[in-house]
Amino acid sequence: MRPATTTLSRRAATAAITATRPSQAQLLSGAAIKTTTTAPKSRYITSLSRPRQMQQIQQTSSIQSRPLRKYHSYEHPPPPGPFSPTEEAILSAAYKHVPEHGFSLESLALGAREAGYLDISTTILPEGAFSLIRYHLVKQREALAARTEALFRVPENQKHVSISEKVELLTWERLQGNAQVIARWQEALAIMAQPSYIPSSLKELAKLADEIYFLAGDVSVDPSWYSKRASLSTTYAAAELFMTNDHSPDFRDTREFLRRRLGEASELGSAASAIREWIGFTATAGVNVLRSKGVRI
Amino acid sequence: MSVSAARPALRRAVRCSNNTVKYSTAKSGLLSSPASLSRSFSSTVSSHSPKTPNSSSIPEYARPDPSRPTHFGFETVTEAEKRERVAGVFTSVAESYDRMNDLMSFGWHRIWKDHFVASLNPGFSPLTSGPDPRAPQHILDIAGGTGDIAFRMLHTAHNINRNPDVRVTISDINPAMLSVGKQRSQSLPATQQAVLNFVEANAEDLTKTRPLHSDPSAATISIPDQSVDLYTVAFGIRNFSNIPAALREAYRVLKPGGVFACLEFSKVDKHPLFNAVYKRWSFGAIPLIGQLVAGDRDSYQYLVESIERFPSQEEFRDMIVDAGFVVGGQGYEDLTGGVAAIHKGMKPRA
Ligand SMILES: C[S@@+](CC[C@H](N)C(=O)[O-])C[C@H]1O[C@@H](n2cnc3c(N)ncnc32)[C@H](O)[C@@H]1O
């Protein structure tokens, strides 16, 4: 399947694959598989479970027949953004209407009008209202990188910031990105939990966890590579849900919740249970929102 | 559905168009069969046509040319001949086309049409504070034949989105198909009938349209540039002799921000087993069923072949982009594994 590489790097890559394989298998046999029927499996695996380090190993090989997708490549310019200029124009204008109109077709249409398009123009967005949610997820994730320097600045007299502290800081930073739209976030979670959007939602969650570990400077390649990210995903999702009901000043309770969960997370079980838990959380949120709207479930 | 009033007229149309098909088939000796898949026939008609001076910016292939060779199913005929023959096919099946769609789609076409219309959500226009900003919507349903798409559009716009400011122009090359649509529209609420408009037009040239059943010698009317919000074509475009010309016309009549939307039979290549079964079904069984049920093997044979000829999802998407449209995501959505697909494109802002 892979092109021939130098023996050395191939062996290293194989080692990395072997290292992550158990968790991959667990994931695919776990709850997630039922929900991913619409997503090509290969894409799913690429985004969820190929360690960054493995990609870097592959990059060093001289022969490569098929370009691989890389999240953080130091040698190549980033791939074109996930949104075309037209989509960007409509979505960025629509995003401003989310606090008032939610992640909805209303917001999309209002955005389209502002960008000089028609109500009907929004129908070329393949995922409807979910496009707006994905826009939020992508933009918030991408914004993290620019803030790391300020986040990790340590007061003169203190020891350096550890990786797990950085993970906590970044996760909290990302959670605060939801503050603007927090009143709409349960609704968004309900949309994300719809069967056709679960694969995309999970993929975004996986990319976030990967981004956080990358920005935190975690470079280890070992069997924990996958489960670390999976448990961060679960913790993040739980904290995100917690935050939608948090009325404490500056979401202090959410931060406390996050700290506690990150502490426990190191002892958490397998990837499969982590993903199952995430779906549980999200689905519960969805059911609650639907109930609040008078649907009898 | 009641089409009894239109029936005598249709019968006549069917009879004479069947003659047309048989005549042209006999004349050129091109009885097609699945075995003639790779055969291609050269046209005896010269494909040279004098260029009109003011249309020189239009690529040659995008200019309608009645004498240019095109495909009729797997046969090669001239564009004018194809138009004549397509008209024949649809006249002969105007009444049984529902059955035909059922056969090709395993009964799914109604669900696809519902989904198509729902995904376009016609008439949706949120109210904001201040004066009602809702602009009227003009939908142009091309190859709208019997009104299937147009009636659904009106239902969604008027009843679901409660926006009465949506009107629909149903256009088809074939007056017999339009007559069936007109007849069916009599059962719609008066408010919906009032905003429906039936016009005869070749989709490849929307500058020359005429109201249904108008005097053939009367002057033609052009659909103005930038006058349409939504252009739809369902199970029609594969019948066009010159698809790029039709796309160019769609682009012309749409407003900036307006949407081109197409529902069409497509390719199930991504699922080899299903593909094999589906081909067997369509090439083996459908013409035979057409023969037995409608006594019209040729029309059903044409139907199957025209579907096979139609470009793949990606190729058609690229044609839409070449015509100047922008697409969202991959530009299309497969239905039922690709038996049909929805393509959408938006005319960008100038
Ligand atoms: C299978 S019917 C589709 C009818 C309807 N849209 C539906 O979805 O049921 C195809 C229609 O395309 C029309 N048609 C074929 N060639 C055309 C052309 N060049 N311009 C306009 N209409 C055309 C035929 O007359 C016929 O009514």
Side-chain angles (χ1 to χ4, degrees):
Chain A
M1 174 184 106
R2 295 264 159 256
T5 59
T6 64
T7 331
L8 226 169
S9 64
R10 197 211 278 148
R11 205 175 295 146
T14 318
I17 292 168
T18 323
T20 56
R21 189 161 285 157
S23 30
Q24 248 179 46
Q26 276 164 1
L27 167 74
L28 292 174
S29 63
I33 187 80
K34 288 187 210 79
T35 60
T36 56
T37 41
T38 53
K41 227 179 271 170
S42 60
R43 216 180 58 201
Y44 189 64
I45 291 170
T46 308
S47 58
L48 255 184
S49 53
R50 179 173 294 135
R52 192 192 314 278
Q53 286 73 19
M54 207 178 101
Q55 291 169 17
Q56 281 164 3
I57 290 163
Q58 281 160 353
Q59 274 169 38
T60 59
S61 68
S62 49
I63 317 154
Q64 213 168 41
S65 66
R66 197 158 36 107
L68 281 164
R69 241 186 84 213
K70 299 161 191 84
Y71 297 148
H72 287 281
S73 165
Y74 297 106
E75 291 127 61
H76 300 276
F83 304 103
S84 74
T86 315
E87 289 172 325
E88 178 79 38
I90 295 177
L91 289 170
S92 61
Y95 189 61
K96 300 195 189 87
H97 294 276
V98 169
E100 194 182 343
H101 297 279
F103 293 89
S104 64
L105 297 179
E106 276 83 5
S107 294
L108 280 179
L110 295 175
R113 283 183 205 165
E114 268 168 36
Y117 295 98
L118 307 170
D119 287 328
I120 197 81
S121 309
T122 60
T123 61
I124 63 153
L125 297 170
E127 298 172 310
F130 182 77
S131 309
L132 203 46
I133 295 176
R134 205 162 64 83
Y135 184 80
H136 171 77
L137 298 174
V138 169
K139 292 291 152 176
Q140 291 296 334
R141 167 166 53 79
E142 288 178 350
L144 280 182
R147 298 197 208 124
T148 45
E149 210 182 309
L151 272 179
F152 299 161
R153 199 169 293 142
V154 264
E156 294 288 318
N157 53 352
Q158 264 182 25
K159 61 174 171 62
H160 85 294
V161 187
S162 73
I163 287 185
S164 58
E165 281 166 329
K166 285 181 179 173
V167 166
E168 196 266 340
L169 282 169
L170 284 161
T171 310
W172 174 239
E173 186 67 15
R174 172 62 192 82
L175 281 168
Q176 284 174 296
N178 286 358
Q180 280 278 308
V181 296
I182 198 68
R184 299 291 176 177
W185 199 242
Q186 285 216 357
E187 245 169 69
L189 290 174
I191 296 174
M192 289 160 75
Q194 285 173 17
S196 46
Y197 301 133
I198 286 183
S200 295
S201 306
L202 278 176
K203 196 154 75 174
E204 277 305 326
L205 188 61
K207 282 189 190 168
L208 175 64
D210 192 50
E211 179 81 1
I212 289 176
Y213 268 104
F214 175 76
L215 294 176
D218 180 54
V219 288
S220 56
V221 189
D222 56 46
S224 72
W225 186 95
Y226 188 76
S227 64
K228 268 196 290 198
R229 279 155 181 77
S231 76
L232 176 60
S233 301
T234 334
T235 304
Y236 172 80
E240 189 181 57
L241 186 62
F242 186 94
M243 193 172 164
T244 60
N245 286 316
D246 181 0
H247 301 290
S248 64
D250 297 328
F251 300 104
R252 222 180 282 151
D253 293 353
T254 303
R255 179 141 208 199
E256 196 40 50
F257 178 89
L258 175 67
R259 286 215 174 99
R260 229 177 320 121
R261 288 297 298 245
L262 281 175
E264 296 162 5
S266 38
E267 300 125 44
L268 238 151
S270 72
S273 77
I275 297 294
R276 213 175 295 133
E277 211 177 318
W278 180 84
I279 291 178
F281 277 124
T282 313
T284 314
V287 167
N288 285 342
V289 169
L290 291 177
R291 279 201 183 127
S292 75
K293 298 206 155 158
V295 179
R296 275 192 226 143
I297 308 179
Chain B
M1 121 193 137
S2 151
V3 289
S4 46
R7 207 156 260 164
L10 267 171
R11 285 272 152 73
R12 238 170 306 143
V14 168
R15 222 172 301 127
C16 83
S17 74
N18 270 350
N19 291 343
T20 317
V21 172
K22 296 225 172 77
Y23 168 69
S24 51
T25 310
K27 184 182 65 176
S28 42
L30 302 181
L31 251 174
S32 58
S33 69
S36 66
L37 278 180
S38 57
R39 248 196 294 161
S40 123
F41 298 88
S42 57
S43 165
T44 50
V45 186
S46 154
S47 63
H48 173 78
S49 71
K51 284 181 186 152
T52 33
N54 61 350
S55 63
S56 53
S57 62
I58 303 160
E60 224 260 314
Y61 66 86
R63 251 173 280 144
D65 173 2
S67 63
R68 194 193 353 253
T70 177
H71 303 290
F72 184 82
F74 288 144
E75 302 173 40
T76 302
V77 297
T78 66
E79 287 188 11
E81 221 182 323
K82 168 159 177 174
R83 225 150 11 236
E84 201 174 285
R85 288 218 215 165
V86 168
V89 167
F90 283 103
T91 306
S92 65
V93 296
E95 289 178 285
S96 65
Y97 94 103
D98 259 353
R99 208 177 329 159
M100 192 164 73
N101 274 346
D102 277 332
L103 287 173
M104 285 310 299
S105 72
F106 312 110
W108 275 91
H109 71 103
R110 280 170 250 271
I111 290 157
W112 295 339
K113 285 172 179 166
D114 287 345
H115 176 74
F116 181 60
V117 171
S119 82
L120 291 164
N121 204 6
F124 177 78
S125 189
L127 289 168
T128 46
S129 51
D132 186 346
R134 275 191 289 200
Q137 264 183 9
H138 180 201
I139 300 172
L140 176 61
D141 185 30
I142 292 287
T146 49
D148 257 30
I149 297 298
F151 301 164
R152 282 174 167 82
M153 291 282 176
L154 280 179
H155 174 75
T156 304
H158 289 206
N159 301 346
I160 296 176
N161 286 325
R162 309 211 165 279
N163 183 352
D165 231 351
V166 175
R167 67 193 173 94
V168 182
T169 301
I170 302 183
S171 157
D172 200 297
I173 200 168
N174 185 340
M177 287 293 271
L178 282 172
S179 304
V180 177
K182 180 119 194 176
Q183 179 71 26
R184 284 185 180 174
S185 73
Q186 316 280 292
S187 58
L188 296 175
T191 47
Q192 294 184 16
Q193 289 187 44
V195 293
L196 266 179
N197 196 12
F198 293 85
V199 302
E200 287 173 41
N202 177 356
E204 293 151 35
D205 184 3
L206 298 174
T207 61
K208 296 186 189 66
T209 77
R210 47 166 53 94
L212 176 61
H213 296 322
S214 63
D215 181 356
S217 64
T220 56
I221 308 157
S222 174
I223 299 183
D225 296 0
Q226 316 205 351
S227 63
V228 173
D229 293 78
L230 174 60
Y231 173 116
T232 54
V233 55
F235 304 118
I237 206 159
R238 70 171 188 281
N239 303 302
F240 299 174
S241 328
N242 188 336
I243 296 172
L247 288 172
R248 210 168 42 77
E249 276 296 84
Y251 190 88
R252 179 181 70 78
V253 300
L254 278 168
K255 299 173 186 171
V259 169
F260 164 87
C262 171
L263 171 61
E264 188 54 271
F265 286 110
S266 204
K267 302 261 187 285
V268 288
D269 299 357
K270 290 159 203 150
H271 312 278
L273 184 66
F274 184 29
N275 191 22
V277 174
Y278 186 66
K279 287 238 168 83
R280 255 286 165 77
W281 164 252
S282 54
F283 278 100
I286 288 183
L288 185 64
I289 295 173
Q291 169 88 57
L292 297 175
V293 175
D296 186 358
R297 187 179 182 104
D298 286 354
S299 295
Y300 284 77
Q301 183 71 39
Y302 163 74
L303 180 81
V304 169
E305 290 181 1
S306 68
I307 291 171
E308 180 64 18
R309 272 242 181 255
F310 193 66
S312 72
Q313 285 86 328
E314 290 77 14
E315 285 162 353
F316 185 46
R317 187 255 334 269
D318 292 346
M319 291 171 79
I320 293 169
V321 171
D322 285 347
F325 292 98
V326 295
V327 298
Q330 61 176 358
Y332 65 87
E333 177 189 359
D334 276 342
L335 306 175
T336 319
V339 173
I342 293 174
H343 282 80
K344 286 180 194 160
M346 185 188 76
K347 177 170 173 171
R349 258 178 349 147

